[in-house]
């Protein structure tokens, strides 16, 4: 009996909050070190071991060499902090704050030999991705290759949680029981190397604490002063923390306080980790959306495969952008993928309403009168009976949305069915939790038209490619053809502004052709991927 329980525990899939708790705890035992270029790894580790056991470590490049060291116990960090000195000079003014970001100074750096291997933190160049895809054997193989190249690595995920934890140290100097957690694509299983780091400042943990009374004779006086609404309170708190990061945040540069946005935020670049960070507060619904995507992404491997392919395709076709505007967002595209998979027969994934029906008492969650309840235990969700392959699904995705009646119907993942469109926006995707809102309200008619047009063209390319093997092709095929800067189309290439791109495509095609004619086995060879920076 005991053995069976163990077995169950090891096969149990982690819930979102279990995963987050484990990662946070791991980050709290970790430190970041900026190292000189030539660093003897063994010596460094031997030195650090004096403060306690090290359970994990890796090196990476971001404005110089850095190391992440994970101790087995938090106490080791305090010991190292006590043993480190704080520089004090004519231009250095220390503040009473013990950070977990260290600099390593070596006495004779030039004598040292470097033996460290760096873990890659950025996404490879597009041309290299396309080359790697051309060498794959099938579209399914291409999709898997794409995911392997672009998905967040174990080290990158650790670094994301560590960065949040380092920022939490600073915020906690103001508000001791606040927490900072990553959300968005850093945690929802759909993140690509190089994606931004969305941070959620949680001040509400105080309210949930069981020792906090809701009534009694003593009232504690602690308020945001002179504010008429919660929005103002959030703006004040973020303003103060932004100021703090700007003045004292180790490794934080280009701090911008964007407090008048619909969702107020502090944007900054964390130089030591290389992440572009967006710190927001009070947006529990966005955290719940991340959890929902995590559940869908963990349920069936085809969800991630398809979402990855579609997100990359959209980025390459400039359907999405890093600048906000009237185009689709990655979030909207992911919801479209989920909707499409719910609509297959039999469905690949269940509707949000069915996930709600599987919820138990402790899953109940109401945020600002919005019902955000759904099951958190993945093992309670039945596996799908659908057996379609990812390449079929990818092609069908383009076919489906290339012909979707956007003028009449809305996309609704809560029901898993299209509904009548409640207003005249070009595309209506119901917000899964704030059900009266459209998450793609920003998208205009011409962006939707481009999406539909490119979807049709892509469905056609994938169908045309069917059965084509990589051996015979001298041109990008399958998924690689979809990721070319613009889907090859002679009439379109002539249009103004496309000249440069088509030049780049030409060069790429030539290099692929040259490689495949040089040596017939060359297309089979694994291409090494070089990094962007
Ligand atoms: P990337 O483009 O890789 O950063 O994807 P992302 O999912 O992290 O998107 P982004 O950084 O723009 O937003 C972070 C999170 O905020 C998303 O995962 C959603 O949970 C939420 N979010 C973003 N855009 C919207 C929106 O238009 N409506 C709603 N309700 N939530 C959004
Ligand atoms: Mg993001």
């Amino acid at each position: 009996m005991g053995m069976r329980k163990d077995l169950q525990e090891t096969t149990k899939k982690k819930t979102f909050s279990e995963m987050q708790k484990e990662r946070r705890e791991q980050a709290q035992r970790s430190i970041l070190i900026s190292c000189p270029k030539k660093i003897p790894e063994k010596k460094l580790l031997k030195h650090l071991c004096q403060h306690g056991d090290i359970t994990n470590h890796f090196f990476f490049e971001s404005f110089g060499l850095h190391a992440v060291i994970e101790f087995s116990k938090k106490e080791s960090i305090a010991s190292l902090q006590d043993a480190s000195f704080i520089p004090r000079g004519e231009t250095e003014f220390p503040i009473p704050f013990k950070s977990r970001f260290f600099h390593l100074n070596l006495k004779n750096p030039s004598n040292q030999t470097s033996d460290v291997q760096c873990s890659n933190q950025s996404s490879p160049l597009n041309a290299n991705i396309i080359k790697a895809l051309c060498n794959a054997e099938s579209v399914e193989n291409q999709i898997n290759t794409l995911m392997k190249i672009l998905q967040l690595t174990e080290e990158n995920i650790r670094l994301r949680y560590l960065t949040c934890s380092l920022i939490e140290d600073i915020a906690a100097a103001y508000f001791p029981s606040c927490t900072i957690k990553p959300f968005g694509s850093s945690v929802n299983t759909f993140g690509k190397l190089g994606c931004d780091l969305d941070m959620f400042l949680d001040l509400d943990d105080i309210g949930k604490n069981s020792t906090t009374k809701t009534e009694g004779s003593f009232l504690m006086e602690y308020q945001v002063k002179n504010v008429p609404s919660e929005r103002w309170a959030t703006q004040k708190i973020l303003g103060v923390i932004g100021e703090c990061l700007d003045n004292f945040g180790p490794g934080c540069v280009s701090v911008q306080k964007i407090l008048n946005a619909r969702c107020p935020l502090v944007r900054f670049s964390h130089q030591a980790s290389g992440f572009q960070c967006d710190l927001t507060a009070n947006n529990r619904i966005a955290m719940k959306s991340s959890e929902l995507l995590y559940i869908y992404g963990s349920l069936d491997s085809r969800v991630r495969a398809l979402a990855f392919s579609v997100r990359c395709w959209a980025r390459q076709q400039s359907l999405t952008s890093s600048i906000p505007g009237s185009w689709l967002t990655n979030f909207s595209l992911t919801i479209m993928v989920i909707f499409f998979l719910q609509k297959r027969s039999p469905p690949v994934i269940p509707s949000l309403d069915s996930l709600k029906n599987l919820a138990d008492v402790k899953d109940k969650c109401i945020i600002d009168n919005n019902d955000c309840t759904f099951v958190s235990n993945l093992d309670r969700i039945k596996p799908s009976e659908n057996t379609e392959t990812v390449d079929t699904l990818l092609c069908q995705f383009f076919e489906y949305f290339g012909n979707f009646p956007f003028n009449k119907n809305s996309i609704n993942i809560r029901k898993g069915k299209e509904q009548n469109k409640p207003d005249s926006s070009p595309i209506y995707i119901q917000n899964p939790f704030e059900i009266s809102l459209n998450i793609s309200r920003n998208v205009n008619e011409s962006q939707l038209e481009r999406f539909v047009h490119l979807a049709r063209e892509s469905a056609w390319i994938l169908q045309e490619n069917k059965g084509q093997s990589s051996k015979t092709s001298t041109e990008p095929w399958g998924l690689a053809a979809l990721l070319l800067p613009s889907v090859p189309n002679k009439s379109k290439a002539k249009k103004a502004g496309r000249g440069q791109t088509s030049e780049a495509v030409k060069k790429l095609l030539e290099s692929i052709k040259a490689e495949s004619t040089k040596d017939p086995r060359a297309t089979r060879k694994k291409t090494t991927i070089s990094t962007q920076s």
Side-chain angles (χ1 to χ4, degrees):
M1 194 64 194
M3 246 178 76
R4 263 194 62 190
K5 200 178 164 215
D6 283 352
L7 194 70
Q8 273 173 358
E9 266 163 23
T10 49
T11 54
K12 185 176 174 284
K13 285 190 199 149
K14 269 177 214 151
T15 67
F16 183 70
S17 44
E18 282 165 356
M19 182 273 295
Q20 279 230 333
K21 196 173 156 217
E22 203 177 298
R23 291 283 183 188
R24 271 174 56 76
E25 194 267 330
Q26 184 177 61
Q28 283 160 356
R29 289 184 278 106
S30 303
I31 59 167
L32 188 58
I33 308 180
S34 152
C35 310
K37 251 202 210 115
K38 291 188 170 176
I39 166 95
E41 184 172 2
K42 283 208 186 94
K43 240 182 174 173
L44 173 71
L45 294 177
K46 206 173 144 201
H47 189 78
L48 290 168
C49 273
Q50 295 170 6
H51 301 282
D53 289 344
I54 294 170
T55 43
N56 213 306
H57 78 281
F58 64 91
F59 293 90
F60 66 96
E61 292 265 3
S62 168
F63 298 92
L65 186 68
H66 290 79
V68 169
I69 309 285
E70 181 193 318
F71 286 105
S72 73
K73 292 202 177 75
K74 256 195 218 173
E75 292 72 45
S76 306
I77 298 175
S79 158
L80 177 66
Q81 282 168 332
D82 287 341
S84 309
F85 82 99
I86 298 175
R88 192 182 292 267
E90 271 178 25
T91 55
E92 287 160 318
F93 309 101
I95 52 161
F97 173 75
K98 286 186 173 172
S99 106
R100 280 186 285 146
F101 180 24
F102 300 86
H103 278 269
L104 179 66
N105 271 326
L106 287 180
K107 293 222 178 72
N108 294 313
S110 54
N111 295 341
Q112 310 289 356
T113 51
S114 173
D115 57 355
V116 302
Q117 264 215 319
C118 278
S119 119
N120 178 32
Q121 305 295 323
S122 57
S123 72
L125 285 173
N126 190 40
N128 292 329
I129 296 175
I130 292 179
K131 272 193 203 169
L133 296 189
C134 286
N135 292 344
E137 279 155 24
S138 62
V139 174
E140 177 154 7
N141 211 274
Q142 286 185 321
I143 295 174
N144 290 331
T145 305
L146 185 75
M147 282 209 290
K148 253 188 225 142
I149 299 176
L150 289 180
Q151 70 195 349
L152 303 183
T153 58
E154 169 66 23
E155 285 83 11
N156 193 270
I157 295 172
R158 282 170 187 264
L159 191 54
R160 283 172 190 268
Y161 276 89
L162 174 56
T163 305
C164 286
S165 183
L166 296 177
I167 301 302
E168 182 180 294
D169 284 353
I170 300 164
Y174 257 107
F175 304 111
S177 42
C178 79
T179 60
I180 291 186
K181 299 182 184 117
F183 71 101
S185 56
S186 300
V187 300
N188 66 17
T189 74
F190 299 105
K192 279 197 310 195
L193 282 174
C195 70
D196 68 352
L197 174 52
D198 301 294
M199 299 177 168
F200 169 58
L201 170 69
D202 196 350
L203 299 159
D204 250 20
D205 263 8
I206 310 155
K208 281 193 301 193
N209 197 325
S210 54
T211 57
T212 310
K213 295 257 188 304
T214 49
E215 53 186 278
S217 320
F218 282 100
L219 297 167
M220 194 159 42
E221 180 75 22
Y222 199 84
Q223 309 284 340
V224 182
K225 288 183 181 165
N226 307 322
V227 289
S229 70
E230 190 160 15
R231 180 175 162 85
W232 279 58
T234 303
Q235 286 171 328
K236 277 212 168 176
I237 290 167
L238 279 178
V240 159
I241 291 178
E243 200 63 26
C244 197
L245 290 178
D246 200 12
N247 289 308
F248 318 116
C252 302
V253 298
S254 317
V255 181
Q256 280 174 281
K257 290 180 277 181
I258 310 171
L259 302 178
N260 285 323
R262 193 183 56 85
C263 182
L265 75 145
V266 176
R267 176 166 290 169
F268 60 96
S269 160
H270 193 261
Q271 226 170 27
S273 62
F275 294 130
Q276 176 71 34
C277 307
D278 276 350
L279 175 67
T280 52
N282 219 339
N283 53 345
R284 313 191 72 79
I285 289 195
M287 186 56 105
K288 239 9 211 179
S289 317
S290 302
E291 176 174 359
L292 181 66
L293 295 195
Y294 170 88
I295 288 185
Y296 279 125
S298 313
L299 261 188
D300 189 297
S301 64
R302 290 171 290 182
V303 183
R304 285 184 69 224
L306 208 59
F308 252 85
S309 310
V310 170
R311 284 167 77 141
C312 283
W313 164 81
R315 187 72 192 85
Q316 286 314 318
Q317 301 307 328
S318 308
L319 285 167
T320 53
S321 161
S322 52
I323 323 159
S326 54
W327 26 83
L328 285 161
T329 61
N330 274 331
F331 184 59
S332 299
L333 277 171
T334 312
I335 299 289
M336 287 169 89
V337 168
I338 289 171
F339 181 72
F340 163 74
L341 293 172
Q342 291 172 335
K343 288 280 295 178
R344 301 306 292 168
S345 169
V348 178
I349 44 176
S351 68
L352 176 50
D353 271 344
S354 0
L355 295 184
K356 182 180 156 186
N357 292 336
L358 290 172
D360 60 23
V361 188
K362 63 178 192 326
D363 291 329
K364 195 171 165 70
C365 173
I366 311 279
I367 303 170
D368 302 331
N369 290 325
N370 298 298
D371 193 345
C372 304
T373 307
F374 55 85
V375 63
S376 60
N377 182 353
L378 285 155
D379 296 327
R380 297 180 63 157
I381 309 167
K382 267 209 234 114
S384 166
E385 279 163 18
N386 182 303
T387 56
E388 287 172 294
T389 60
V390 273
D391 36 335
T392 309
L393 289 170
L394 183 63
C395 189
Q396 290 296 311
F397 172 88
F398 290 127
E399 181 99 37
Y400 182 76
F401 283 113
N403 297 296
F404 189 85
F406 288 106
N407 57 341
K408 277 205 331 256
N409 292 347
S410 69
I411 291 165
N412 185 321
I413 65 159
R414 183 164 277 284
K415 302 253 173 291
K417 286 199 183 84
E418 53 273 66
Q419 310 271 288
N420 287 333
K421 215 164 76 167
D423 67 28
S424 63
S425 19
I427 166 168
Y428 197 104
I429 306 176
Q430 190 196 52
N431 185 317
F433 300 118
E434 291 162 284
I435 57 171
S436 63
L437 301 180
N438 170 11
I439 62 165
S440 55
R441 208 184 57 168
N442 61 312
V443 180
N444 65 20
E445 196 67 58
S446 81
Q447 286 299 322
L448 177 65
E449 268 171 31
R450 280 198 65 224
F451 170 82
V452 168
H453 170 77
L454 287 163
R456 285 182 189 167
E457 210 163 339
S458 301
W460 190 74
I461 289 175
L462 287 178
Q463 265 153 17
E464 193 195 31
N465 271 174
K466 245 184 204 158
Q468 183 171 10
S469 111
S470 56
K471 268 188 221 162
T472 55
S473 66
T474 53
E475 281 190 25
W477 58 281
L479 185 57
L482 302 191
L483 298 186
L484 287 177
S486 96
V487 177
N489 179 329
K490 284 192 185 98
S491 65
K492 223 172 44 186
K494 280 186 198 133
K495 276 187 191 163
R498 295 264 168 162
Q500 253 187 334
T501 346
S502 54
E503 205 44 46
V505 179
K506 238 190 338 206
K507 273 196 189 141
L508 177 67
L509 292 178
E510 274 162 16
S511 87
I512 291 168
K513 274 183 195 165
E515 249 179 49
S516 60
T517 48
K518 244 190 321 199
D519 175 357
R521 286 160 305 172
T523 47
R524 290 286 163 138
K525 198 179 66 195
K526 232 184 157 186
T527 318
T528 42
I529 311 295
S530 67
T531 59
Q532 213 151 10
S533 53

